[in-house]
Amino acid sequence: MLAAPGAISDLEYDFQWVCKVLDDDLIPQNGDRFDFGLGVMSEEGPMHGKALGITGTGVIAAVAVAKESDLWKKGKLTTEDGRMHLQDGVFITSNDISEAMKAIGAMRAGHFTLLEHAGIKFGDLKTMYMCGASGTYVDAVKGRDVGLLPPTCDNIFQYGNTSLALSTDLLMNPELLDELQETANSIRANHIMFAGDKIFEQIYVQELAYCEEGMSMTKYNENNVAAGLQALPKPTGRPKVTRVSMRDIADLGERGLYILHEIGTNLVGKMEGCTGCKKCEHECPENALTVSKDRTITVKTKNCLGTACYRCQYVCPEKVMQFDSLRLS
Ligand code: SF4
Ligand code: SF4
């Protein structure tokens, strides 16, 4: 789920693993404590009973915990039921970890590709800047440990929601727009298409072997050197992390922004040729979509992932579900 009240956003080690759950002000607070090796919850925290789901940053933390606690072997969680149980019925499956590791592997393949094309060594990369949800809630040290950040960066800045901060600055000082345009005009970019890049392909195949087949990092690096690429250095020491922002939306309350818990808008529509099979409803990962008896499709906009998902559309056996033809009710 997105960063919202009730989201598990991190797992922090304090003699045992503690779920960090976002409260109504979007501040991570202690939830329940766990021993994942033993598969037990050891103590209820103040946020017990309030977790509704997990953010992407929480999944990154789960990947780090699975690797650090030796719970991940050859593409599977080694727990009794193959799941990592968090609190309030929220759990992570082997498939979730596998998908997250593939995404992280793609990030790492991206680091390699950009560095190799630019002729830069990992050792030269010392500072990283993170923004968005990663720049707010991801534990940057865990992020570096799992490969989300290059292993050599020892200085990490987390700037939070920079687009919201920029919008606020522009509202308060519209002249900044000219400055912004000048900056945009001065940027000269070289585009690298990862999908067709040989370096990306070489590294990503290795990433798959590493996360799914248990290939060692030694072999990973031997293959890199054989392919004329640099080896991946091991993370050293603990990076210095500077968190500029503590929460996604900096100012809440009377003079800031409010979080709307119930947006209240729905998208509705009927698809010609729909058989009412409800496959789209069952496929929806956010329980956002329902198909009524008269085959009216209703999507709760507050839960829907929209263009990032469209699973309802892809799964339709009749190929009639067209997300874009739904209309606001
Ligand atoms: S795009 Fe479709 S499947 Fe995805 S969350 Fe929205 S309604 Fe559900
Ligand atoms: S999957 Fe397609 S046919 Fe089935 S209910 Fe949904 S829109 Fe209708």
Side-chain angles (χ1 to χ4, degrees):
M1 64 182 288
L2 295 172
I8 299 172
S9 64
D10 196 8
L11 294 161
E12 202 171 272
Y13 193 72
D14 176 20
F15 299 105
Q16 281 178 319
W17 290 104
V18 185
C19 277
K20 303 297 275 190
V21 183
L22 299 183
D23 67 11
D24 284 343
D25 291 326
L26 295 183
I27 304 282
Q29 304 286 2
N30 283 355
D32 299 343
R33 302 174 77 90
F34 290 90
D35 186 321
F36 292 115
L38 298 175
V40 291
M41 190 253 276
S42 67
E43 201 180 304
E44 291 180 2
M47 291 300 282
H48 175 76
K50 296 183 181 163
L52 302 171
I54 183 164
T55 59
T57 63
V59 176
I60 303 255
V63 171
V65 173
K67 288 176 84 175
E68 204 173 311
S69 312
D70 245 356
L71 295 176
W72 183 254
K73 293 257 160 64
K74 292 199 172 184
K76 294 240 171 323
L77 279 168
T78 55
T79 52
E80 218 172 291
D81 62 356
R83 290 176 173 181
M84 190 191 256
H85 290 273
L86 306 174
Q87 64 177 81
D88 307 325
V90 180
F91 60 83
I92 299 276
T93 65
S94 292
N95 192 47
D96 294 330
I97 299 274
S98 171
E99 291 300 309
M101 284 184 74
K102 283 182 206 161
I104 292 166
M107 292 289 287
R108 193 145 60 185
H111 300 154
F112 265 99
T113 310
L114 293 175
L115 290 181
E116 292 285 339
H117 279 284
I120 298 171
K121 297 289 176 207
F122 271 105
D124 298 326
L125 201 55
K126 297 288 184 198
T127 304
M128 290 295 286
Y129 300 90
M130 301 169 76
C131 24
S134 307
T136 312
Y137 298 115
V138 164
D139 176 335
V141 179
K142 286 195 203 89
R144 196 187 74 160
D145 287 347
V146 299
L148 195 63
L149 295 166
T152 47
C153 60
D154 47 25
N155 213 1
I156 303 170
F157 292 90
Q158 291 187 286
Y159 273 103
N161 192 333
T162 47
S163 50
L164 187 59
L166 179 66
S167 314
T168 312
D169 286 352
L170 284 174
L171 277 173
M172 288 170 32
N173 182 6
E175 283 168 19
L176 275 178
L177 197 56
D178 295 331
E179 206 179 302
L180 186 66
Q181 188 62 57
E182 260 175 50
T183 308
N185 292 345
S186 69
I187 293 172
R188 294 281 172 270
N190 283 325
H191 294 275
I192 295 168
M193 184 66 85
F194 286 168
D197 190 280
K198 287 286 161 211
I199 299 168
F200 187 89
E201 184 184 310
Q202 158 80 21
I203 300 293
Y204 192 60
V205 167
Q206 298 216 102
E207 288 289 336
L208 291 181
Y210 169 72
C211 75
E212 298 287 291
E213 309 297 333
M215 186 177 81
S216 69
M217 260 297 150
T218 310
K219 188 70 190 155
Y220 180 110
N221 278 331
E222 280 172 11
N223 291 347
N224 281 5
V225 174
L229 303 174
Q230 58 187 310
L232 184 71
K234 279 191 180 148
T236 49
R238 203 180 156 81
K240 180 173 175 242
V241 179
T242 308
R243 289 190 69 180
V244 179
S245 150
M246 292 309 289
R247 60 187 178 195
D248 207 22
I249 298 172
D251 301 309
L252 291 169
E254 252 173 66
R255 286 165 177 249
L257 295 171
Y258 287 100
I259 296 173
L260 294 178
H261 292 278
E262 185 54 70
I263 301 168
T265 52
N266 290 333
L267 290 168
V268 292
K270 279 188 169 183
M271 304 295 147
E272 206 180 323
C274 170
T275 59
C277 69
K278 293 197 175 220
K279 285 208 169 139
C280 48
E281 181 175 318
H282 297 143
E283 181 70 12
C284 178
E286 301 296 322
N287 294 326
L289 185 152
T290 47
V291 183
S292 67
K293 274 188 186 156
D294 72 350
R295 297 175 195 171
T296 301
I297 293 171
T298 305
V299 172
K300 282 187 197 157
T301 53
K302 82 177 175 94
N303 295 343
C304 175
L305 303 171
T307 50
C309 171
Y310 277 5
R311 287 198 209 179
C312 48
Q313 195 167 290
Y314 301 133
V315 80
C316 175
E318 310 300 325
K319 306 279 175 249
V320 294
M321 171 61 190
Q322 290 297 324
F323 192 90
D324 288 348
S325 35
L326 298 171
R327 292 286 171 266
L328 274 176
S329 64

